[in-house]
Amino acid sequence: MGAMSARPNPEAAAQQAENTAPHRAGFACFVGRPNAGKSTLTNALVGQKVAITSNRPQTTRHTVRGIVHRPDAQLILVDTPGLHKPRTLLGERLNDVVRTTWAEVDVIGFCLPADQKLGPGDKYIVKELAGIKKTPKIAIITKSDLVESKQLAEQLLAVSRLGEELGFEWTEIIPVSAVKDDQVGLLADLIAPLLPESPPLYPEGDLTDEPEMVMVAELIREAALEGVRDELPHSIAVVVEEMLPREDRPADKPLLDIHANVYIERPSQKGIIIGPKGQRLKDVGTKSRKHIEALLGTPVFLDLHVKVAKDWQRDPKQLRKLGF
């Protein structure tokens, strides 16, 4: 019997190729000076609030991983603290965390805000990156919605030159606006092929592998920082002591009891956090409870206490106790 002639169908061929393309999975981290838009970008890619965001530098303390699930790839975002010249023991520990993380990821995204000149802080980071030879590096110009196209073009050029000066070439340079959701999907498209071939490393529903208690603590800390940015920028740590389902509740009306301590460095800061007639602490509770309930999907009773841990940022014993 003669062979049947079939007209080639380009769409079917593309579909076929897509189905046979190997699945990829791996780790990427965003680096950049504090407040370069790393956490906001993580949240935009994952599509849910997982990393703590605040326009205060140095709020990301833990390696929060956001997980982007795609049909062809799973991208695990490791959000490292900003790298900076350390002033305290905590600063040195954070920088060590950064370097170990960089050595273990598959892709590094360097974040540079579109509306700020390339400064010494950026150069310091890119110089460190130049030392990590094998890992592909993408330059991401964040907050692109804040500038005109001319300024954006200048920023793209400046970051490209900086790579050349330090003897390496960026794998990609891309402007994004996480707030306007502009080119965020494209960024994921560019990262995916750079990941190693691998089945998914996390189950489909997972958005982060941070223990829930740590994420809850971060949400409380974020709410506590909101009103007191200028007075207490970094001297707040939060430890969740326990999270227990309330007993004797009907199955359709569960309640989770969360007991947490907000630690400050000096007794004089207590009044600032608690506020007149305890109003500020109440607001912190109300605000963080909403986010916690959204995160855990269950009603929460939140019990907050403010405690003093003297000069915890400089004391190794306290740092350990507070989880650093």
Side-chain angles (χ1 to χ4, degrees):
M1 220 169 93
M4 284 172 68
S5 76
R7 272 210 302 279
N9 175 346
E11 270 171 35
Q15 190 71 46
Q16 183 83 35
E18 206 168 280
N19 292 346
T20 53
H23 185 279
R24 295 178 178 271
F27 296 84
C29 76
F30 295 141
V31 304
R33 44 188 165 128
N35 205 11
K38 304 181 290 286
S39 296
T40 314
L41 188 54
T42 299
N43 292 337
L45 277 160
V46 176
Q48 283 206 24
K49 182 167 185 147
V50 288
I52 166 175
T53 57
S54 134
N55 50 13
R56 203 60 245 181
Q58 246 184 289
T59 41
T60 307
R61 289 267 176 80
H62 297 277
T63 303
V64 175
R65 296 176 172 82
I67 302 167
V68 183
H69 300 277
R70 298 163 50 107
D72 60 331
Q74 187 180 66
L75 170 58
I76 298 128
L77 299 165
V78 191
D79 197 14
T80 54
L83 186 76
H84 52 90
K85 296 213 161 81
R87 285 188 304 278
T88 60
L89 180 63
L90 173 65
E92 280 172 36
R93 291 238 178 126
L94 289 174
N95 277 1
D96 291 343
V97 170
V98 175
R99 291 202 185 85
T100 11
T101 307
W102 290 5
E104 292 162 2
V105 297
D106 302 299
V107 182
I108 298 173
F110 167 66
C111 295
L112 176 71
D115 62 337
Q116 292 168 32
K117 281 263 181 282
L118 252 174
D122 300 306
K123 292 181 178 152
Y124 173 68
I125 294 170
V126 176
K127 207 165 140 193
E128 293 277 330
L129 286 183
I132 300 168
K133 296 278 185 258
K134 291 198 175 65
T135 316
K137 294 171 268 295
I138 295 181
I140 304 162
I141 310 296
T142 58
K143 311 183 188 184
S144 67
D145 56 302
L146 299 180
V147 300
E148 299 292 322
S149 52
K150 182 173 179 288
Q151 197 179 339
L152 188 58
E154 283 165 8
Q155 196 73 317
L156 293 167
L157 199 61
V159 75
S160 163
R161 283 207 188 109
L162 183 58
E164 281 167 26
E165 279 167 34
L166 294 166
F168 73 91
E169 197 178 328
W170 299 102
T171 309
E172 303 278 356
I173 301 178
I174 175 176
V176 302
S177 165
V179 174
K180 294 266 195 293
D181 196 23
D182 187 30
Q183 304 230 89
V184 173
L186 177 61
L187 176 62
D189 293 344
L190 294 175
I191 294 174
L194 301 171
L195 303 174
E197 291 182 16
S198 156
L201 302 170
Y202 287 89
E204 179 69 47
D206 288 10
L207 292 171
T208 168
D209 79 343
E210 273 292 300
E212 282 176 344
M213 283 169 99
V214 173
M215 291 189 67
V216 167
E218 286 285 82
L219 289 170
I220 296 169
R221 183 164 174 269
E222 182 177 10
L225 275 172
E226 294 250 305
V228 296
R229 298 237 182 275
D230 306 324
E231 296 138 289
L232 312 176
H234 305 318
S235 32
I236 297 176
V238 175
V239 175
V240 173
E241 298 296 334
E242 56 178 22
M243 285 173 41
L244 296 168
R246 177 86 55 96
E247 289 178 13
D248 315 324
R249 295 282 293 195
D252 58 341
K253 290 211 170 102
L255 183 69
L256 189 64
D257 283 315
I258 299 181
H259 301 277
N261 292 325
V262 178
Y263 287 96
I264 47 182
E265 293 191 288
R266 288 186 292 287
S268 61
Q269 298 170 336
K270 215 167 176 173
I272 300 177
I273 285 282
I274 292 171
K277 296 193 174 147
Q279 194 49 50
R280 184 167 273 156
L281 190 63
K282 257 201 202 98
D283 293 346
V284 170
T286 312
K287 194 159 185 166
S288 54
R289 197 183 74 236
K290 273 203 209 90
H291 286 308
I292 294 165
E293 290 181 337
L295 172 77
L296 303 177
T298 172
V300 161
F301 171 79
L302 183 56
D303 175 39
L304 285 183
H305 293 273
V306 179
K307 301 198 166 183
V308 179
K310 224 166 115 28
D311 291 331
W312 62 265
Q313 295 200 34
R314 295 175 189 277
D315 174 352
K317 263 219 312 289
Q318 300 267 20
L319 281 172
R320 268 202 301 284
K321 187 178 140 200
L322 297 172
F324 299 113

